[in-house]
């Protein structure tokens, strides 16, 4: 396969090639009806139903590729966009509601440094060295000190125990790894999640909008389910107060049961149990909740 030739006139979509985001992104692509076959160890996969080429890259590199126009759009973390210093060069199209975590300053629980300010002039180890310098440079100027910032690519949490650092800057999701290393977070620098980004000068604006719309639909489908039920017409207001829908409930008469109507409305999936209980209390019957894989809202 001549990849250079096959990439002509295709939108280049960069996605994480491995790690915590990879499986989530695969589900997102599947739900968005983007078909492709990725052969083992190949970092390029051509879509079979859209003029798209998927480029599998390390999540940390994707913001730079998008910003420089090497690819048209991509999925990465907000933290990676900040670390690559390209926030002004890419457009954040959509927050994807996964990969949520915090970028935190962490120190030993029993250590002498328990605030961000206490670490000024000390040793910091991190994978986010560019962002760390932005944080500490103004603090260094104010204090007349110089904070030593050292980059490591992984296992950052081991740096304090090994005597390499007085504090670290790293991502915290559940906090288990942090606590296992005897650390705690003393300052949150930013909250982050996975995002869909695009190059601001891409010629594929229509296709970017189509993909964004599809992905938005998949995310909405994860958040909502369709609730349908029957209820006496005299109790419609009670029922729709419980299930107002996103833009209003759909109501239709039941020809087989005089005085009854059928109601359908989108509800938040996480509240479905409570909503079904409340509907039962106001006399609703035949209550059904249906999940869907995608939608347009």
């Amino acid at each position: 396969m001549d990849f250079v030739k096959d990439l002509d006139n295709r939108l280049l979509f960069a996605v994480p090639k491995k790690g915590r985001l990879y499986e989530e992104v695969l589900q997102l692509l599947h739900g968005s009806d983007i078909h492709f076959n990725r052969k083992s160890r190949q970092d390029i996969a051509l879509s079979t139903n859209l003029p798209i080429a998927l480029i599998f890259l390390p999540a940390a590199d994707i913001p730079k590729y998008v910003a420089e126009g090497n690819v048209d759009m991509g999925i990465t973390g907000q933290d990676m966009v900040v670390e690559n210093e390209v926030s002004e060069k890419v457009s954040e199209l959509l927050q994807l509601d996964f990969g949520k975590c915090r970028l935190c300053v962490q120190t030993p629980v029993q250590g002498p440094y328990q605030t961000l300010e206490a670490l000024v002039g000390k040793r910091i180890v991190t994978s986010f060295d560019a962002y760390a310098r932005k944080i500490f440079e103004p603090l260094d100027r104010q204090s007349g000190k110089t904070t030593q910032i050292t980059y490591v690519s992984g296992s950052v949490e081991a740096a304090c125990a090994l005597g390499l650092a007085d504090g670290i800057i790293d991502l915290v999701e559940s906090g288990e790894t942090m606590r296992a290393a005897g650390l705690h977070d003393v300052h949150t620098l930013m909250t982050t999640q996975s995002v869909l980004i695009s190059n601001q000068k891409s010629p594929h604006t229509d296709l970017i909008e189509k993909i964004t719309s599809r992905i938005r639909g998949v995310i909405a489908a994860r958040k909502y389910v369709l609730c349908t039920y029957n209820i006496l017409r005299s109790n419609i207001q009670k029922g729709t107060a419980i299930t107002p829908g996103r833009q209003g409930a759909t109501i239709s008469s039941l020809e087989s049961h005089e005085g009854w109507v059928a109601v359908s409305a989108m509800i938040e999936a996480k509240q479905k149990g409570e909503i079904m209980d409340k509907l039962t209390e106001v006399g609703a019957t035949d209550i059904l909740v249906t999940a869907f894989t995608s939608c347009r809202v």
Side-chain angles (χ1 to χ4, degrees):
M1 180 181 291
D2 185 350
F3 277 125
V4 174
K5 182 178 179 180
D6 289 327
L7 294 181
D8 287 347
N9 300 317
R10 287 180 179 263
L11 178 145
L12 304 186
F13 189 175
V15 296
K17 66 185 298 182
K18 60 182 181 179
R20 59 192 175 94
L21 302 183
Y22 176 72
E23 292 299 331
E24 289 276 7
V25 170
L26 287 187
Q27 293 180 26
L28 205 59
L29 296 174
H30 176 73
S32 301
D33 199 33
I34 298 174
H35 301 169
F36 66 95
N37 294 311
R38 183 190 181 193
K39 295 182 179 179
S40 178
R41 298 184 180 275
Q42 285 192 346
D43 289 336
I44 298 177
L46 305 181
S47 171
T48 57
N49 65 328
L50 289 169
I52 296 171
L54 297 172
I55 315 296
F56 293 86
L57 298 170
D61 295 338
I62 290 175
K64 184 175 294 184
Y65 278 88
V66 175
E68 295 181 359
N70 303 109
V71 297
D72 298 286
M73 63 191 307
I75 292 176
T76 187
Q78 291 170 317
D79 53 305
M80 293 291 98
V81 175
V82 170
E83 173 61 19
N84 279 273
E85 302 179 292
V86 296
S87 298
E88 303 301 320
K89 297 180 181 179
V90 301
S91 297
E92 183 180 301
L93 304 175
L94 203 58
Q95 295 182 357
L96 303 179
D97 207 31
F98 60 80
K100 292 182 176 181
C101 48
R102 296 177 297 128
L103 184 61
C104 297
V105 179
Q106 304 168 39
T107 63
V109 174
Q110 302 299 327
Y113 311 112
Q114 298 299 316
T115 65
L116 173 65
E117 291 73 20
L119 288 167
V120 176
K122 308 305 179 184
R123 300 169 301 158
I124 302 294
V125 167
T126 183
S127 300
F128 296 86
D129 55 316
Y131 186 55
R133 289 188 177 89
K134 278 190 174 182
I135 297 298
F136 279 98
E137 281 176 359
L139 297 174
D140 285 352
R141 286 194 297 268
Q142 292 173 10
S143 65
K145 300 177 181 178
T146 301
T147 303
Q148 180 184 328
I149 297 172
T150 302
Y151 170 83
V152 297
S153 60
S155 300
V156 180
E157 66 279 354
C160 292
L162 294 175
L164 299 175
D166 301 302
I168 67 170
I169 295 176
D170 201 13
L171 292 171
V172 176
E173 189 170 1
S174 67
E176 290 184 13
T177 302
M178 174 181 66
R179 290 188 290 271
L183 305 174
H184 67 154
D185 59 287
V186 298
H187 189 88
T188 296
L189 297 174
M190 67 178 294
T191 57
T192 177
Q193 65 174 294
S194 300
V195 288
L196 180 67
I197 61 174
S198 70
N199 177 270
Q200 296 176 350
K201 298 181 180 179
S202 171
H204 301 283
T205 53
D206 289 345
L207 193 50
I208 287 174
E209 289 179 7
K210 177 183 286 189
I211 294 170
T212 303
S213 177
R214 290 189 180 189
I215 292 176
R216 184 182 293 111
V218 175
I219 294 170
R222 292 176 176 178
K223 291 182 178 179
Y224 296 97
V225 290
L226 184 65
C227 180
T228 61
Y229 56 93
N230 299 333
I231 194 168
L232 282 167
R233 187 178 295 276
S234 58
N235 286 337
I236 286 178
Q237 289 188 345
K238 293 180 180 179
T240 55
I242 299 168
T243 60
R246 297 191 74 254
Q247 296 185 356
T250 300
I251 302 170
S252 55
S253 297
L254 286 178
E255 295 183 1
S256 59
H257 292 74
E258 186 175 350
W260 285 74
V261 295
V263 180
S264 61
M266 290 177 68
I267 62 173
E268 289 192 36
K270 62 183 180 182
Q271 296 181 353
K272 62 185 179 182
E274 183 178 353
I275 287 173
M276 294 175 77
D277 291 340
K278 289 181 178 179
L279 288 172
T280 301
E281 291 172 4
V282 298
T285 64
D286 305 309
I287 305 169
L288 299 176
V289 170
T290 307
F292 34 82
T293 57
S294 188
C295 63
R296 297 291 188 274
V297 294

